[in-house]
Amino acid sequence: MIEVNHLTKVYGDHTAVSDLSFSIDPGHIYGLLGPNGAGKTTTMNIMTGCLAATEGTVKVGGFDIFEEPSRAKALIGYLPEQPPLYMDMTPEEYLRFVAQAKGVTREGITKEVDRAMEVTQVTSMRERLIKNLSKGYRQRVGIAQALLGHPEAVILDEPTVGLDPIQIIEIRELIAELGREHTVILSSHILSEVRAVCGHIMIISHGKLVASDTPENLERLFTGSATLELSIQGWKDDIRETLSHVQGVHSVSFHQTDVEDAVGVSLSTEPGEETAREVFYAMAEARLPILRMDVKKASLEDVFIELTSQENDAALDSEDSKKAGEKTEEKAKRGGGGE
Amino acid sequence: MTAIYTRELRAYFNGMTGYVFTAFLLVFAGIFTMIYNLNNGYTNFEYVVGNMSMVLFIAIPILTMRTIAEERRQKTDQLLYSLPVGMTRIVLGKYLAVLTTAALPCLVMCLYALALTTFGDINIAAAAGSIVGFFLLSAALAAVGMFISSLSENQAVAAGVTCAVMLLLYFMADLASYVPDSAFASFAAIAVVILILAAVVKIMTRSSLAAVAFGAVGVGILTVFFALYQDSFQGLFARVADGLSVFERFYLFVDGVFDLTAVVYFLSIAGAALFLTVQTMEKRRWS
């Protein structure tokens, strides 16, 4: 539906987006995730034709956004970071204006505007001036604007920024709702938000795409090693001896546990549940009862921090050659864990 | 385009701008009618219209300052950029709304002239011609105002610069007459104008290279011409300034001449200013 190819945007001597490529398939909710200043807004502005790319192309439904802008733009609805609302209009007037400008037929306008207001629940505010609306409602009007003209894809730039927690939940529900009829692409720097609504996550850091997959796959892929937390009844030496025969256990460490008469054991293992099963059988055979077992996966948050901070390291490396050695070592360790 | 046009027109008359603009012009039209036609008993309504040109210094900035500057400040220009409508159509839509608003006081002034016919022998043709001239003058200046509004995101700055530019246009012919008649003085004065235009290019494109290139090529061509046809540079600047003066063209209408070249001239100014506006807006996509 949307093809982004080798997109690069340079502002003066600052590269905001560098060689970014991805494609958006219809019918999913995509999350563009990245820390502030990663190039999310720039990418979205280019995808919607508001900004020209220095290099690379964007194709929407097969139409190049710069070669055939009107046909490409008709397929997308865009909510910029700051909703582009005219304060001196009411939501109804504003939406009618946008619908007309998007080329909705005269007969279709009323129907279309009513539908957009209904979906975004602004019908009750239709006759108030936009300047008197709360931020949450303004955001809704902004989203309603993006929905006019039946776009196949809806692109939302930080749709929940600056809203209170209840409004955030409402907007998220709204986005999930939209995902049923449209392809939705939203950007955010908040991981939990993307995790909550998106079926596919693209992580951007320093203008580069560093990961793109479903949340589950990201967690799995970037979990170099899993951690097993156990509470086992028995002697430390026996436990250590038994574990040394189990395949897939990298290291063993002991600690206190709140389970009575048991030793706390932390295992660094191969990812996957296979090792946990092996540990269970080995312990059962050695008659060392496991009283508690937790499989800890690396959270998406860890993935996010790891991916975006790697880029930071790289940036630091080039700036500070003295530290480069240490950093490389650290990276090697981290990389080693992943193999 | 119709959507933009309707929205802009509604913005003028939902807020104060449209009324303030109309009232401002009509108050002065009333005052001048009072002085010339009622108190002094002149039968020439065109005198009233002639004096109205000064009022445009304030009225035009009121009309055009927010057109594009406000879109940028409120970030609603993002919407315009993402609409499946070309920038030319957007700018034209806005300009048509400006023209409609500018036409309103002209129509009311026609009523003034018609009302006066009941009291005396008013030259209707001259009155109508001067009002048409006044509308064309407003149209040209409003396009310039819109262009200036597209350069800034601050309405007040846009208004101030528009006012200054109009004053400059008004006094251009007078000021130019102060430039000595010598060929070299004309050469120097034209070179200065080219350098000022280069500065405008710099503001528009934010590219020093483009500005320097524009200035260098302009001055270069000028120097070549100066070397070849030194004689014709005698008093050239004053003649050019006089020929280009927007207001001098308008006074032709007031004098009862319906000059088609002046019509073409006003339309060209409007066209050029609108073209530059579209380019400034498009340029912003590339910044």
Side-chain angles (χ1 to χ4, degrees):
Chain A
M1 146 104 246
I2 302 180
E3 295 283 337
V4 174
N5 280 315
H6 305 290
L7 209 62
T8 299
K9 178 73 190 176
V10 182
Y11 293 108
D13 52 2
H14 167 67
T15 308
V17 174
S18 100
D19 200 26
L20 195 67
S21 299
F22 57 83
S23 69
I24 302 287
D25 297 323
H28 297 283
I29 302 184
Y30 286 82
L32 209 55
L33 186 66
N36 288 321
K40 302 185 295 282
T41 299
T42 307
T43 310
M44 290 192 147
N45 273 341
I46 296 174
M47 282 166 70
T48 51
C50 294
L51 203 62
T54 314
E55 267 171 57
T57 56
V58 175
K59 281 197 174 162
V60 183
F63 304 113
D64 189 291
I65 195 87
F66 265 86
E67 304 287 323
E68 294 171 282
S70 23
R71 302 186 75 172
K73 284 176 186 173
L75 297 174
I76 43 183
Y78 181 38
L79 171 70
E81 202 168 357
Q82 192 177 339
L85 306 174
Y86 292 103
M87 295 297 157
D88 55 352
M89 295 174 106
T90 66
E92 191 175 7
E93 285 170 350
Y94 172 72
L95 293 174
R96 293 187 75 92
F97 154 64
V98 178
Q100 200 186 348
K102 282 189 177 179
V104 178
T105 55
R106 200 166 281 278
E107 307 81 57
I109 287 180
T110 310
K111 219 176 106 197
E112 186 92 336
V113 167
D114 283 348
R115 185 189 66 95
M117 285 198 293
E118 208 165 294
V119 173
T120 52
Q121 295 167 19
V122 289
T123 315
S124 56
M125 300 288 161
R126 65 197 296 167
E127 273 164 17
R128 292 205 199 173
L129 283 182
I130 291 178
K131 67 177 159 204
N132 297 330
L133 294 184
S134 68
K135 194 140 193 321
Y137 271 106
R138 287 185 192 178
Q139 200 74 23
R140 283 161 188 274
V141 177
I143 296 176
Q145 164 271 122
L147 296 181
L148 294 169
H150 275 290
E152 287 181 34
V154 179
I155 299 180
L156 311 168
D157 193 0
E158 308 234 347
T160 58
V161 104
L163 302 182
D164 70 37
I166 295 170
Q167 290 171 329
I168 289 181
I169 292 169
E170 286 172 354
I171 295 284
R172 272 186 204 163
E173 281 168 1
L174 173 58
I175 292 169
E177 185 103 346
L178 295 181
R180 279 182 219 136
E181 279 187 47
H182 308 263
T183 306
V184 180
I185 307 162
L186 65 92
S187 77
S188 176
H189 60 273
I190 305 158
L191 187 107
S192 57
E193 178 168 295
V194 173
R195 179 85 169 92
V197 290
C198 299
H200 193 107
I201 299 182
M202 292 181 283
I203 300 182
I204 291 191
S205 176
H206 295 269
K208 291 195 182 88
L209 189 67
V210 288
S212 168
D213 216 323
T214 60
E216 296 76 28
N217 277 348
L218 278 180
E219 280 171 351
R220 212 173 299 148
L221 275 176
F222 287 88
T223 316
S225 57
T227 307
L228 282 182
E229 290 288 346
L230 303 153
S231 297
I232 303 174
Q233 213 168 28
W235 297 102
K236 281 185 187 174
D237 290 344
D238 293 347
I239 295 169
R240 195 191 296 278
E241 170 62 22
T242 316
L243 285 174
S244 67
H245 300 299
V246 180
Q247 280 225 325
V249 175
H250 295 308
S251 68
V252 183
S253 65
F254 293 96
H255 55 80
Q256 291 281 328
T257 174
D258 50 0
V259 180
E260 250 178 274
D261 299 331
V263 206
V265 187
S266 287
L267 301 182
S268 162
T269 68
E270 293 283 319
E273 271 121 40
E274 190 53 37
T275 318
R277 217 169 281 136
E278 290 296 320
V279 169
F280 171 81
Y281 287 130
M283 288 297 156
E285 221 161 275
R287 301 200 63 77
L288 295 166
I290 298 173
L291 301 181
R292 188 199 274 173
M293 184 192 285
D294 276 328
V295 184
K296 282 202 174 160
K297 284 193 261 178
S299 68
L300 202 52
E301 198 134 356
D302 298 333
V303 176
F304 179 55
I305 290 169
E306 167 142 352
L307 283 172
T308 50
S309 62
Q310 267 179 357
E311 287 291 320
N312 280 334
D313 287 353
L316 277 176
D317 283 354
S318 56
E319 275 166 26
D320 193 347
S321 52
K322 276 185 189 172
K323 283 186 182 168
E326 298 164 31
K327 294 279 179 192
T328 331
E329 266 179 43
E330 262 179 48
K331 261 197 207 163
K333 272 184 208 164
R334 230 188 274 160
E339 279 157 19
Chain B
M1 197 164 86
T2 2
I4 306 275
Y5 170 74
T6 337
R7 198 215 86 77
E8 286 294 310
L9 203 59
R10 199 178 280 177
Y12 274 127
F13 291 99
N14 270 353
M16 299 269 289
T17 320
Y19 300 105
V20 170
F21 171 80
T22 312
F24 190 79
L25 281 181
L26 289 181
V27 162
F28 281 92
I31 292 173
F32 291 134
T33 310
M34 186 88 182
I35 296 171
Y36 285 102
N37 303 120
L38 302 184
N39 289 358
N40 288 329
Y42 289 115
T43 55
N44 309 74
F45 188 72
E46 54 269 28
Y47 291 174
V48 174
V49 184
N51 278 288
M52 291 291 291
S53 64
M54 310 272 277
V55 185
L56 288 179
F57 294 155
I58 305 292
I60 291 293
I62 294 177
L63 190 62
T64 60
M65 62 182 184
R66 52 162 284 286
T67 43
I68 292 166
E70 185 67 3
E71 300 264 4
R72 282 181 70 193
R73 198 182 63 79
Q74 287 200 21
K75 309 258 185 213
T76 41
D77 56 343
Q78 288 264 0
L79 175 71
L80 302 182
Y81 284 118
S82 65
L83 284 178
V85 182
M87 196 45 76
T88 316
R89 284 160 162 269
I90 291 173
V91 170
L92 275 183
K94 281 176 169 289
Y95 183 62
L96 285 181
V98 169
L99 282 191
T100 310
T101 316
L104 197 67
C106 293
L107 290 176
V108 180
M109 280 200 289
C110 289
L111 295 182
Y112 284 19
L114 287 177
L116 287 172
T117 52
T118 45
F119 304 111
D121 195 11
I122 294 283
N123 186 343
I124 278 295
S130 63
I131 291 176
V132 169
F134 182 72
F135 176 68
L136 287 171
L137 175 70
S138 315
L141 293 177
V144 174
M146 247 178 91
F147 167 56
I148 292 168
S149 175
S150 76
L151 293 176
S152 165
E153 52 182 279
N154 185 328
Q155 289 193 42
V157 171
V161 174
T162 310
C163 192
V165 166
M166 279 193 295
L167 281 174
L168 196 70
L169 286 176
Y170 185 77
F171 289 111
M172 190 164 71
D174 286 336
L175 287 176
S177 64
Y178 285 105
V179 174
D181 258 352
S182 80
F184 184 74
S186 279
F187 168 74
I190 295 176
V192 167
V193 170
I194 290 176
L195 293 180
I196 292 173
L197 289 180
V200 174
V201 169
K202 160 87 181 151
I203 295 171
M204 267 180 70
T205 61
R206 290 174 204 282
S207 147
S208 309
L209 187 73
V212 169
F214 178 87
V217 170
V219 174
I221 292 175
L222 183 70
T223 316
V224 170
F225 271 97
F226 183 62
L228 292 177
Y229 312 100
Q230 197 161 355
D231 290 345
S232 51
F233 267 76
Q234 205 108 37
L236 179 69
F237 187 66
R239 285 206 305 278
V240 169
D242 212 39
L244 283 182
S245 171
V246 190
F247 288 90
E248 293 301 322
R249 302 279 171 145
F250 167 62
Y251 290 126
L252 285 178
F253 286 92
V254 175
D255 293 339
V257 184
F258 196 91
D259 186 1
L260 270 183
T261 55
V263 175
V264 173
Y265 175 71
F266 285 132
L267 294 181
S268 325
I269 292 214
L274 291 179
F275 172 76
L276 288 175
T277 312
V278 174
Q279 293 311 308
T280 322
M281 297 284 282
E282 280 295 340
K283 171 69 183 63
R284 208 153 285 137
R285 256 193 242 268
W286 296 88
S287 63

